[in-house]
């Protein structure tokens, strides 16, 4: 096996999906078990869904009056649907349109049959993956030519996180209600998951960073990141990686395909 290491920092389930896709892509592109890098999962944050009957009642009441629901991430979709335990179109008298920021969220909606109904739920998302972020979704929403001062929007999110889109909507006069449907639990710095990290050669390591919050937490681990390379699918994440001291930071387009392509480019250097 190659002495290079790729570290995937997503929560466990999502990390496994990316690791399997990366490994398959490498084998399909001329790598062998001997030349492939070691792939390590380091789940810097664990997603802890909320299970609160009061919260369920509040969400259902809000949906009855909502003009639009926005999910900020696939985790927001999974945790909301797990919490509500019913199909999306059964939650309100009329199917509430949904806004999402990218391809992974669109896939999560399809997993729950949303947008695949006989009378499909309207889904709004940036068409170009280079715009898979809050700013891109807001640009797409403005194409609706709605009078935002008359609209009620629900945002499903995790505790904390970025509020740029909520602020943009409020600035437009929209009534916004945000629901936190999950918490992010940092990986214990004494967890056995760090063992492989301490043993690897940082100068030959590539870190796939997909969350600014996770990157900031990584900065607390006091690792020799100045020797390491990072790939980030958004400039905000790249900024966070630079701030905690990564030696080289590259930005790629959003989506797993772009992360895999960028990883293969790094391996060929």
């Amino acid at each position: 096996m190659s002495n290079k290491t790729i570290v995937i920092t997503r929560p466990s389930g999502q990390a496994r999906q990316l690791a399997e896709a990366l490994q398959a892509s490498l084998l399909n592109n001329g790598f062998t078990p001997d030349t492939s890098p070691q792939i390590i999962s380091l789940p810097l944050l664990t997603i802890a869904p909320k299970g609160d009957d009061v919260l369920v009642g509040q969400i259902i009441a809000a949906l009855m009056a909502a003009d639009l629901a926005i999910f900020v991430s696939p985790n927001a979709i999974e945790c909301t649907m797990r919490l509500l335990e019913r199909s999306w179109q059964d939650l309100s008298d009329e199917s509430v349109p949904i806004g999402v920021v990218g391809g992974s969220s669109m896939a999560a909606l399809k997993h729950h049959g949303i947008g695949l109904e006989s009378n499909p739920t309207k889904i709004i998302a940036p068409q170009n993956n280079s715009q898979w972020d809050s700013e891109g979704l807001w640009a797409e929403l403005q194409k609706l030519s709605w009078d935002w001062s008359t609209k009620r929007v629900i945002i499903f999110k995790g505790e904390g996180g970025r509020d740029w889109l909520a602020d943009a909507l409020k600035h437009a006069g929209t009534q916004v209600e945000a629901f936190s449907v999950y918490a992010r639990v940092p990986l214990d710095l004494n967890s056995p998951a760090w063992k492989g990290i301490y043993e690897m050669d940082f100068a030959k390591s590539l870190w796939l960073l997909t969350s600014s919050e996770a990157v900031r937490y990584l900065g607390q681990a006091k690792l020799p990141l100045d020797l390491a390379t990072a790939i980030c699918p958004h400039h905000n994440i790249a900024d966070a990686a630079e701030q905690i001291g990564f030696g080289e930071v590259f930005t790629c387009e959003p989506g797993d395909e772009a992360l895999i392509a960028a990883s293969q480019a790094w391996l060929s250097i």
Side-chain angles (χ1 to χ4, degrees), residues 65-86:
D67 298 294
L68 176 69
I70 293 173
F71 292 94
V72 303
S73 67
N75 288 323
I77 295 168
E78 295 298 338
C79 294
T80 298
M81 298 311 295
R82 182 187 304 184
L83 185 65
L84 297 176
E85 295 184 317
R86 65 200 78 180

Side-chain angles (χ1 to χ4, degrees), residues 200-229:
M200 73 183 187
D201 183 346
F202 277 79
K204 296 180 180 179
S205 69
L206 176 69
W207 294 65
L208 306 186
L209 306 175
T210 54
S211 160
S212 297
E213 183 178 350
V215 172
R216 288 190 288 271
Y217 178 66
L218 177 62
Q220 299 178 24
K222 298 180 180 178
L223 300 169
L225 298 175
D226 57 310
L227 302 175
T229 301

Side-chain angles (χ1 to χ4, degrees), residues 83-255:
L83 185 65
L84 297 176
E85 295 184 317
R86 65 200 78 180
S87 71
W88 181 253
Q89 293 195 346
D90 288 342
L91 290 165
S92 54
D93 295 334
E94 294 186 14
S95 180
V96 178
I98 291 173
V100 294
V101 300
S104 296
S105 292
M106 288 187 282
L109 291 176
K110 288 181 180 178
H111 174 72
H112 290 281
I114 301 172
L116 304 177
E117 307 94 343
S118 56
N119 183 21
T121 298
K122 181 178 178 61
I123 298 173
I124 305 152
Q127 299 304 303
N128 189 329
N129 67 347
S130 65
Q131 295 179 303
W132 282 356
D133 56 18
S134 296
E135 291 86 344
L137 177 57
W138 178 229
E140 203 68 31
L141 290 173
Q142 289 178 295
K143 296 177 184 178
L144 298 173
S145 299
W146 285 0
D147 178 358
W148 288 99
S149 66
T150 67
K151 301 300 180 182
R152 298 168 63 99
V153 175
I154 300 173
I155 297 179
F156 294 102
K157 59 192 287 291
E159 289 182 354
R162 192 169 178 238
D163 292 325
W164 187 94
L165 188 55
D167 292 341
L169 286 161
K170 290 174 183 176
H171 185 71
T174 310
Q175 184 173 334
V176 178
E177 189 169 7
F179 291 102
S180 296
V181 292
Y182 62 92
R184 303 175 188 87
V185 180
L187 179 66
D188 192 316
L189 292 174
N190 294 316
S191 167
W194 294 96
K195 183 176 184 295
I197 300 298
Y198 294 132
E199 294 174 349
M200 73 183 187
D201 183 346
F202 277 79
K204 296 180 180 179
S205 69
L206 176 69
W207 294 65
L208 306 186
L209 306 175
T210 54
S211 160
S212 297
E213 183 178 350
V215 172
R216 288 190 288 271
Y217 178 66
L218 177 62
Q220 299 178 24
K222 298 180 180 178
L223 300 169
L225 298 175
D226 57 310
L227 302 175
T229 301
I231 292 177
C232 311
H234 195 278
H235 63 86
N236 287 340
I237 304 173
D239 290 345
E242 290 176 350
Q243 288 169 9
I244 68 168
F246 269 93
E248 285 191 294
V249 178
F250 298 102
T251 304
C252 69
E253 291 189 346

Side-chain angles (χ1 to χ4, degrees), residues 47-58:
I47 302 302
K50 293 191 176 180
D52 184 333
D53 290 340
V54 173
L55 179 60
V56 170
Q58 292 172 338

